Amino acid sequence: QPDFGHSPSHTQGSSPRRKQKRTTTARRMSDDGDEEKSQLGGDEAEEQFNLPELWKCAKSDKVGKIVKYLNTKEEEELPEAVQEANPENGQSLLMWATQKQRFVLVEWLIKKCKRDAFAFRNKTAMSIYDKWVEERKNKADREREAAEEAAARAAEGEAEEEEEEEKEPEPELYTVVLEGLGEEEGVDVYTVRSIGELGCYEGGRDAQGNKTGLGQSIFVNGDMYIGEYTNNKREGTGTYWWAKEGLIYIGQWKNNQRSGVGRMVYADGGRYYGQWLLDKKNGKGRYTYPNGDAYDGDWQDDKKEGHGCYTFACDQSQYVGTYRNGEFTSGKWVLVGNTTYFGVFKGFKPTGKGVYVFNGKFKQEGEYKAGKWVPTKVQNVKGGDEADLLLQVQGKPIRLRFTPEVGGCYGIEQLVAVANFRPFEDWVGAVESQKAIGVTDIRIRCLDLTTAGIKSVQLQVDTYDLTKPAEQRQKLPADCITLEESKTLLAIILTHAGEEHYIGVQCPDLAKGDLAQVQLPCGKMDAAGYFKGPEVAKISEVFQLVLHRHSMMDLTECCFGRSDHPLFTSTKDSSSSFKAWLYKQEVHSDYFNKLADRISLNNRDGDLCKLVLMEADSFVGSVTGTQGATILRLLQAKGQREDTTIPLQTVAAQRPPTPPPPAPEPAPVYTEEELAMQQATLDAEAASKRKKKPEGEEEEKPEGEEEED
């Protein structure tokens, strides 16, 4: 096929015969597609062939074709090729790739073409910017050389000679830039200073002149951004290039921060693709290291936290399980040769008790001591064998097993996960100090297991009475214990016009994409007394609240008189305790009326949690979590009692906004004619007074007043 439309010059002087030939070719090409495309008329087909070759490739949305086409260009031709604008909308190739989120193409363009990939159109502004950067560097070099010379003289003990003539001060930077640019049209001091001190922006603006819509910026430090803006902030999809560090981020933005789904390319060659919140990795994501290793799993505040899988590139072995504070703590180590180890880890090395399973046929229990494996005998693993794990409880060996009802659903991997479940470890530690009851058997009767780890586990424990002599001890009835991670839920209430409104969160189920369930926000208190966590951070930002122990109240202490009193969802599940804190404040109308707009602006697609503000009755009916519902019922019950200890507010009522200071009275403005008339009137009055006095009589002056010179 002929290569029509390679450049605009190929089509401008076309003959009718050649035009007819192109139309026929367009119809023949479209026979492989839809029937509707095969009916293209001459004008429509001609419009497609008028597209430059680059944008033909982009229209087919084939990144490989685009890169292949650009690789045919010489090095000096490449900048001009990537800056070719789309004839349909004027966008650059980098803007198109950013909006389409073609991560590989964006990275290739920036690394290959650097600033040329951003295709800034205002050449005058870029000349000013480059000249400013050059003169700023020259000035910094001169200052550094002067400082080095002064330091050298001081080191040699030479005194600085006083110069007869004072040294002329160095001219302002914008003056030097203006002189260097010459007499260029449209360039003045304001333009030079604004570009040099603030950078350069090209793109859309709203009626007030704020950056809004698609645009691109080059900042004072050399960094560049291309993508979407809202009210002078990076909002939506965009690409940011840290020019000096060599970092590239392509993805979603909110309030000038990386929030949502995006891809980060690091200077050392590492790459991360996943969810972000407040400029940090939060949620699900995959990090690929420069050596080929990869981690795929949960993140919290730029650290591995939750369930994940780390794969070693050298031998494809894997760490699969639970990560805490960036380290692998428990799970399975999948080795080469169909061998798997189940146990706990510290510093990415196995430690303590564990189990090796070989080819799914043999297992060996043992313990890592001082970095060395101390094994027991090897046992056969048969299909009908019951999975068990040997533990030390109260100083004697006890096997952890599943009940027959659930034994067929789980295996050794889940047993090790339960043994390393933090509430289970706490329970075993509590049993160690128990001297009245002895444990004989532990079975797992229910396991709530998700991709993020264990949510809860229900144990069936056989015990006997240790207070009686050995010959009289009898087996006690089986005890049912439920263990789950302790949570701290926050009940945040804003009171306005006598009505209570609750702040809740809608956390997405990343597997199902469900946002229907409303829950109370959850957080953790740090050593300084501040509540932390993704949900708390978003609430603090949107509602401008300070969630600190001094501005809140421990709900358990408020209701039961002691802070260590646990809360339960049921009287039967005595181990599923949780904590609750209360924040309550009366807010002003000006603040309350703006909350709906704030929430709608901050709730965007890709956020890990969305905020809601609901009236008390509606909120109580919407909360589905058992722990959250328990707190709300407790608040309602205590509020209805006459001797209630629930305060009206835990922090002082919000003050009304400070009114703006009154404007000064405007001074009267007179014209020159009016001022002349007033002066003439004053002169006439003074002259008439002088005529009334006798000649030679001087005007008496008040005492203490001296004559004027």
Side-chain angles (χ1 to χ4, degrees):
Q1 292 178 350
D3 187 14
F4 296 115
H6 184 70
S7 66
S9 60
H10 290 177
T11 60
Q12 290 175 356
S14 304
S15 64
R17 182 177 179 182
R18 181 172 294 181
K19 182 175 180 179
Q20 183 179 1
K21 183 178 179 180
R22 291 177 184 169
T23 306
T24 307
T25 307
R27 289 174 178 170
R28 184 167 63 250
M29 290 172 59
S30 63
D31 287 341
D32 297 331
D34 301 334
E35 294 182 4
E36 185 176 335
K37 290 184 180 179
S38 65
Q39 303 299 325
L40 287 175
D43 295 338
E44 209 167 336
E46 183 70 17
E47 183 180 351
Q48 287 190 5
F49 280 98
N50 281 336
L51 281 175
E53 188 67 24
L54 174 65
W55 290 103
K56 282 185 186 178
C57 299
K59 198 157 190 177
S60 64
D61 204 6
K62 300 292 184 182
V63 174
K65 287 185 178 181
I66 297 174
V67 176
K68 184 177 180 181
Y69 167 75
L70 293 175
N71 278 328
T72 62
K73 300 293 182 181
E74 298 293 337
E75 185 175 353
E76 60 273 7
E77 297 175 345
L78 189 58
E80 184 179 355
V82 300
Q83 291 179 9
E84 191 172 16
N86 187 346
E88 296 179 353
N89 52 27
Q91 288 184 2
S92 64
L93 181 61
L94 184 59
M95 179 70 82
W96 175 86
T98 297
Q99 295 304 306
K100 291 282 187 179
Q101 295 200 12
R102 300 294 180 258
F103 304 117
V104 177
L105 180 58
V106 170
E107 180 183 352
W108 187 91
L109 287 171
I110 294 179
K111 286 188 173 181
K112 196 81 172 176
C113 305
K114 296 182 172 54
R115 194 178 86 176
D116 291 330
F118 288 79
F120 286 94
R121 310 297 182 193
N122 191 338
K123 302 304 179 184
T124 301
M126 298 312 298
S127 299
I128 296 173
Y129 179 87
D130 291 337
K131 189 65 177 176
W132 186 284
V133 172
E134 178 187 351
E135 295 299 337
R136 184 177 58 192
K137 182 178 180 301
N138 294 338
K139 182 178 180 181
D141 292 341
R142 290 193 298 270
E143 292 176 351
R144 186 185 68 254
E145 292 174 0
E148 291 175 354
E149 291 177 1
R153 287 196 302 268
E156 295 175 0
E158 296 181 4
E160 295 185 6
E161 298 180 0
E162 296 183 0
E163 298 182 0
E164 296 181 0
E165 297 182 1
E166 293 184 2
K167 188 177 180 180
E168 294 184 2
E170 194 165 317
E172 294 289 344
L173 196 57
Y174 62 85
T175 305
V176 180
V177 174
L178 271 174
E179 293 176 355
L181 292 172
E183 297 180 359
E184 194 164 346
E185 186 178 355
V187 177
D188 53 14
V189 174
Y190 173 78
T191 304
V192 171
R193 293 195 65 175
S194 62
I195 292 176
E197 297 174 0
L198 302 177
C200 184
Y201 170 77
E202 294 180 7
R205 294 184 183 272
D206 58 15
Q208 287 74 34
N210 300 317
K211 302 174 188 175
T212 300
L214 297 179
Q216 58 190 34
S217 297
I218 180 169
F219 302 99
V220 178
N221 60 354
D223 294 351
M224 300 177 207
Y225 171 81
I226 184 170
E228 294 179 290
Y229 278 93
T230 299
N231 196 22
N232 286 331
K233 294 181 179 180
R234 296 186 288 276
E235 293 266 356
T237 304
T239 296
Y240 195 103
W241 177 41
W242 288 263
K244 292 182 181 178
E245 295 83 358
L247 281 68
I248 305 171
Y249 173 80
I250 316 106
Q252 295 176 318
W253 293 80
K254 181 177 181 182
N255 196 24
N256 282 338
Q257 294 178 315
R258 288 160 281 167
S259 290
V261 178
R263 181 177 187 256
M264 189 78 173
V265 181
Y266 294 89
D268 61 356
R271 289 168 175 82
Y272 170 81
Y273 174 73
Q275 295 178 312
W276 296 78
L277 183 67
L278 303 178
D279 263 346
K280 294 183 179 180
K281 295 184 281 290
N282 278 286
K284 301 287 185 181
R286 177 182 177 85
Y287 191 102
T288 304
Y289 292 83
N291 63 351
D293 293 357
Y295 170 79
D296 194 348
D298 298 331
W299 295 81
Q300 182 176 332
D301 292 339
D302 277 342
K303 293 182 180 180
K304 305 177 189 72
E305 187 76 22
H307 186 270
C309 173
Y310 191 103
T311 303
F312 295 89
C314 57
D315 58 1
Q316 296 302 306
S317 60
Q318 294 179 328
Y319 281 158
V320 184
T322 303
Y323 288 78
R324 300 285 184 188
N325 198 28
E327 290 193 359
F328 183 52
T329 57
S330 65
K332 63 180 180 180
W333 180 15
V334 183
L335 299 164
V336 180
N338 201 15
T339 300
T340 305
Y341 173 79
F342 302 90
V344 296
F345 295 78
K346 186 175 182 180
F348 287 94
K349 294 182 179 180
T351 182
K353 295 179 176 61
V355 178
Y356 275 103
V357 177
F358 308 97
N359 296 322
K361 299 179 181 179
F362 308 97
K363 73 173 182 177
Q364 185 182 60
E365 298 180 1
E367 184 176 1
Y368 272 96
K369 293 183 178 180
K372 294 184 178 181
W373 174 245
V374 181
T376 60
K377 65 179 181 178
V378 177
Q379 306 174 19
N380 291 329
V381 178
K382 298 180 181 179
D385 285 354
E386 181 182 15
D388 59 6
L389 183 64
L390 188 64
L391 302 175
Q392 288 290 328
V393 181
Q394 292 182 326
K396 58 182 181 294
I398 293 180
R399 293 202 169 271
L400 177 65
R401 298 172 290 176
F402 291 98
T403 59
E405 294 80 11
V406 298
C409 303
Y410 304 107
I412 187 69
E413 179 180 355
Q414 286 73 32
L415 283 175
V416 174
V418 171
N420 293 287
F421 186 42
R422 188 175 297 173
F424 181 83
E425 294 176 344
D426 295 340
W427 176 79
V428 172
V431 169
E432 293 289 345
S433 60
Q434 180 62 254
K435 299 185 179 178
I437 302 296
V439 178
T440 59
D441 188 38
I442 305 174
R443 289 181 178 266
I444 301 171
R445 59 180 298 178
C446 183
L447 181 62
D448 187 0
L449 189 64
T450 66
T451 56
I454 297 176
K455 293 183 66 177
S456 65
V457 58
Q458 194 176 63
L459 304 178
Q460 178 181 302
V461 183
D462 293 337
T463 58
Y464 60 92
D465 191 355
L466 290 177
T467 59
K468 295 182 180 181
E471 62 275 5
Q472 298 180 6
R473 291 174 183 172
Q474 295 181 354
K475 182 180 178 181
L476 298 176
D479 192 10
C480 182
I481 299 173
T482 299
L483 303 173
E484 62 181 0
E485 288 278 9
S486 178
K487 294 182 179 180
T488 301
L489 301 181
L490 310 179
I492 305 175
I493 306 174
L494 302 181
T495 305
H496 175 253
E499 298 289 336
E500 293 184 348
H501 300 264
Y502 282 79
I503 298 176
V505 294
Q506 289 180 323
C507 295
D509 186 338
L510 300 178
K512 300 179 181 178
D514 184 16
L515 274 174
Q517 295 184 348
V518 179
Q519 303 174 2
L520 285 177
C522 183
K524 293 181 180 180
M525 185 189 296
D526 62 10
Y530 290 95
F531 283 90
K532 300 293 185 180
E535 299 173 4
V536 175
K538 187 162 187 175
I539 290 173
S540 301
E541 176 191 358
V542 176
F543 293 90
Q544 299 177 347
L545 303 179
V546 179
L547 300 179
H548 187 269
R549 58 187 179 89
H550 292 315
S551 63
M552 304 180 70
M553 176 172 286
D554 188 346
L555 196 56
T556 55
E557 182 178 6
C558 173
C559 295
F560 303 103
R562 39 189 273 247
S563 60
D564 60 344
H565 191 288
L567 293 174
F568 310 103
T569 58
S570 170
T571 56
K572 297 180 180 179
D573 295 340
S574 59
S575 298
S576 57
S577 63
F578 57 96
K579 299 179 181 179
W581 282 72
L582 174 67
Y583 181 97
K584 201 172 180 183
Q585 184 182 27
E586 183 178 352
V587 298
H588 196 267
S589 297
D590 291 346
Y591 166 85
F592 184 81
N593 294 334
K594 297 177 182 177
L595 290 180
D597 293 336
R598 283 187 186 174
I599 295 172
S600 61
L601 286 174
N602 283 272
N603 285 340
R604 298 176 65 89
D605 295 337
D607 289 353
L608 296 180
C609 65
K610 295 181 181 294
L611 302 181
V612 295
L613 182 66
M614 304 173 65
E615 293 184 359
D617 294 339
S618 302
F619 188 77
V620 170
S622 301
V623 172
T624 54
T626 56
Q627 294 179 342
T630 301
I631 294 175
L632 296 177
R633 286 196 295 269
L634 178 63
L635 285 171
Q636 283 189 330
K638 294 290 291 183
Q640 293 172 358
R641 294 180 54 176
E642 294 182 357
D643 59 341
T644 179
T645 53
I646 301 294
L648 295 177
Q649 53 190 19
T650 61
V651 64
Q654 195 179 62
R655 295 185 302 173
T658 304
E665 289 293 331
V669 179
Y670 298 101
T671 64
E672 293 184 2
E673 292 79 4
E674 290 175 334
L675 290 174
M677 292 176 61
Q678 292 180 12
Q679 187 63 38
T681 303
L682 293 174
D683 293 343
E685 292 179 356
S688 62
K689 289 181 180 179
R690 285 196 296 270
K691 289 180 180 180
K692 292 179 180 179
K693 293 181 181 180
E695 293 184 2
E697 184 179 349
E698 296 183 358
E699 183 179 356
E700 295 183 1
K701 296 181 180 179
E703 295 181 3
E705 184 177 343
E706 298 180 356
E707 293 185 357
E708 295 182 358
D709 294 336

